[in-house]
Amino acid sequence: TQTLNHIGATTYHDVSVTYHLDPWNTDFTFGIRNLFDKEPPIAMSAFANSFLPTYYRAPGRFFYARVGVKF
């Protein structure tokens, strides 16, 4: 018999909020990637048990901020 590996679906939740200042024509954005800190599925291979970076994001929650100005 042939053994098949099955990796289930993974859902990540990202949130962001943007505030626009008209006088400065500037946007301030704050966000979180992987809000619930979801771990990617483990792929069993002959070499190691690890996540597949080709298909999934790196593990962990990520906070970010961005400022954009239009001239």
Side-chain angles (χ1 to χ4, degrees), residues 51-56:
F51 77 100
L52 298 171
T54 306
Y55 302 114
Y56 299 99

Side-chain angles (χ1 to χ4, degrees), residues 3-65:
T3 303
L4 299 175
N5 291 331
H6 173 76
I7 298 176
T10 299
T11 302
Y12 298 100
H13 295 84
D14 301 339
V15 294
S16 68
V17 62
T18 299
Y19 182 75
H20 179 75
L21 281 177
D22 261 341
W24 296 348
N25 206 19
T26 302
D27 290 331
F28 296 92
T29 303
F30 303 94
I32 304 171
R33 289 186 63 178
N34 195 359
L35 178 65
F36 300 113
D37 202 19
K38 175 81 173 180
E39 292 293 322
I42 300 297
M44 305 300 217
S45 72
F47 304 107
N49 295 337
S50 62
F51 77 100
L52 298 171
T54 306
Y55 302 114
Y56 299 99
R57 294 183 192 163
R61 185 179 298 129
F62 180 78
F63 296 87
Y64 65 92

